[in-house]
Amino acid sequence: MNNKKGKILVTGGLGFIGSHTVVELQNEGFEVVIIDDLSNSRIEVLDGITSITGVKPAFVQLDLKSKSLVTGFFEDHDIEGVIHFAASKAVGESVQEPLKYYENNITTLIYLLQQMTANRVGNLIFSSSCTVYGQADELPITEKASIKPAESPYGNTKQIGEEIIKDTTRVNDLSAIALRYFNPIGGHDSIKIGELPIGVPQNLIPFVTQTAAGIRKELSIFGDDYPTPDGTAIRDYIHVVDLAKAHISALKRLLGKKNKEKMEFFNIGTGKGSSVLDVVNAFKKVTNVALNYKIVGRREGDIVSAYADTSLANKELGWKTKLSLEDALNSAWKWQLKQ
Ligand code: UFG
């Protein structure tokens, strides 16, 4: 442990990506404080993190929509950097309940930034998404690709969030890095933490593992008439542990004042595109479980293909993925069997 490092606030630290990032932070000797409102996470995740790392992170159950509670938190804690995960993330729900998304994802970000600047907390990592690129004109997608009009209020909160942070860095002693995630999947190898979707999963991998486990009858593959080699849509699936490690690299860049701009943007993916059928086949190879599936129509709002050009993150963050799609599917399956 290097006790000289300051405290890192992780909002949404009991969520899927947040919890894996807390593990990596603690493994690196950072002292972590988690804020989570438990609206889409479980308190038992704290035990999972503690069991993996041997260190129980500080935890404050707090709703970031309460300005007075956020203010009080920063008065009580000495924070050096913030990794901000806390947000609502269901694309479909955001279309139905846009104001919930603007309040949960934007209002909270404003309160956080107000207190960070008031308390001279100068380092922020923001969870952004490749959704800001929409269907990019060129593949793989570089950070220079244009930002397309958002397909959903959720996607819009990521675009607006990036802009709010950028404007704030211009006039304050604040540096920020937005990490634009591609598709995070899998879980910690210890199977002590993983993805915990509530209700019927909307994302591919939890639906695949629940179907294999017999909880769902069959997987619906949304479209096989896309202009891709096998007709199904292509995504860049990144192991959540690799993704978590990108946050450590980004944080060290800010703490070491190695950033070249007040606000920087990095694509965080593997650089490799996989189709839905590639995922189904890889799942069978890894687990020996064949999946019931049927082809249905395209899902509204889905793009054809997205995968990252990761060269900027590789060069500037000194970060690279180490784990494969098979590793990720294997860990997701082990986690499913444990549930
Ligand atoms: N898919 C199926 N059947 C399912 C679920 C998904 O065929 O039951 C397909 C989708 O059509 C898509 C692929 O599997 O082609 C991946 O779908 P996901 O829902 O897992 O992921 P998305 O790429 O749609 O969305 C993810 C995140 C969003 C983020 C978006 C950025 O969930 O938060 O990437 O593109 F905004």
Side-chain angles (χ1 to χ4, degrees):
M1 287 276 289
N2 176 355
N3 292 319
K4 274 185 269 165
K5 290 170 183 164
K7 270 192 222 166
I8 305 302
L9 166 62
V10 182
T11 73
L14 297 184
F16 174 43
I17 308 173
S19 58
H20 288 84
T21 301
V22 170
V23 165
E24 297 307 322
L25 283 167
Q26 296 200 147
N27 283 345
E28 289 277 329
F30 286 100
E31 193 179 341
V32 174
V33 188
I34 294 173
I35 286 181
D36 201 300
D37 69 356
L38 299 177
S39 63
N40 194 20
S41 59
R42 295 192 201 152
I43 190 67
E44 294 77 38
V45 174
L46 206 52
D47 300 330
I49 295 169
T50 309
S51 163
I52 295 169
T53 62
V55 180
K56 186 167 188 170
F59 169 61
V60 180
Q61 184 175 348
L62 186 157
D63 185 346
L64 291 171
K65 293 196 292 298
S66 165
K67 187 172 182 166
S68 59
L69 290 180
V70 177
T71 306
F73 175 88
F74 277 89
E75 282 165 3
D76 293 348
H77 294 82
D78 193 10
I79 302 295
E80 190 176 8
V82 177
I83 308 184
H84 181 45
F85 293 104
S88 296
K89 61 173 185 180
V91 177
E93 183 189 52
S94 79
V95 176
Q96 299 306 319
E97 296 180 69
L99 294 179
K100 172 178 169 181
Y101 276 68
Y102 290 115
E103 185 179 29
N104 284 357
N105 297 6
I106 300 297
T107 308
T108 56
L109 175 64
I110 292 170
Y111 294 161
L112 194 64
L113 287 168
Q114 284 172 337
Q115 291 312 310
M116 287 182 70
T117 52
N119 292 280
R120 303 187 177 285
V121 181
N123 306 294
L124 172 68
I125 314 283
F126 177 63
S127 293
S128 191
S129 168
C130 66
T131 194
V132 302
Y133 301 118
Q135 180 56 65
D137 302 322
E138 277 173 54
L139 295 165
I141 303 172
T142 72
E143 290 79 356
K144 292 204 172 82
S146 55
I147 303 298
K148 296 276 173 74
E151 290 274 353
S152 67
Y154 162 77
N156 211 17
T157 66
K158 293 300 172 188
Q159 294 189 4
I160 296 169
E162 287 189 352
E163 288 172 11
I164 290 172
I165 296 167
K166 190 163 182 193
D167 289 343
T168 308
T169 61
R170 282 201 182 104
V171 288
N172 287 281
D173 195 5
L174 173 73
S175 290
I177 292 179
L179 299 179
R180 292 173 174 160
Y181 311 150
F182 283 67
N183 290 53
I185 62 164
H188 198 266
D189 205 38
S190 64
I191 55 170
K192 289 177 173 163
I193 55 173
E195 191 170 8
L196 285 166
I198 291 173
V200 181
Q202 306 300 310
N203 294 118
L204 179 62
I205 306 309
F207 207 102
V208 163
T209 59
Q210 289 195 9
T211 305
I215 300 168
R216 312 277 158 212
K217 201 169 116 258
E218 62 189 349
L219 168 74
S220 294
I221 295 183
F222 299 135
D224 69 348
D225 56 351
Y226 284 106
T228 62
D230 65 25
T232 64
I234 290 176
R235 298 287 184 274
D236 185 339
Y237 297 95
I238 175 169
H239 197 301
V240 67
V241 171
D242 276 332
L243 175 64
K245 288 180 175 164
H247 295 76
I248 313 304
S249 305
L251 181 66
K252 286 181 175 171
R253 180 175 176 90
L254 291 183
L255 296 178
K257 307 217 175 299
K258 304 254 167 58
N259 49 312
K260 293 181 177 158
E261 314 271 348
K262 292 290 289 290
M263 180 154 189
E264 297 178 317
F265 305 85
F266 295 105
N267 287 344
I268 305 296
T270 66
K272 183 172 171 277
S274 304
S275 73
V276 180
L277 282 172
D278 287 337
V279 171
V280 168
N281 292 331
F283 185 79
K284 181 164 182 227
K285 196 175 118 205
V286 170
T287 64
N288 256 322
V289 183
L291 222 50
N292 291 327
Y293 70 84
K294 65 174 176 200
I295 308 287
V296 300
R298 293 182 181 189
R299 181 171 70 179
E300 204 187 328
D302 271 352
I303 55 169
V304 181
S305 184
Y307 50 95
D309 182 324
T310 60
S311 44
L312 192 69
N314 298 158
K315 178 166 170 268
E316 294 296 329
L317 299 179
W319 164 90
K320 232 179 162 42
T321 54
K322 295 201 175 85
L323 300 163
S324 65
L325 175 64
E326 285 74 16
D327 293 328
L329 293 173
N330 188 34
S331 64
W333 180 231
K334 283 196 300 179
W335 173 250
Q336 180 67 55
L337 291 176
K338 197 190 158 192
Q339 302 309 303

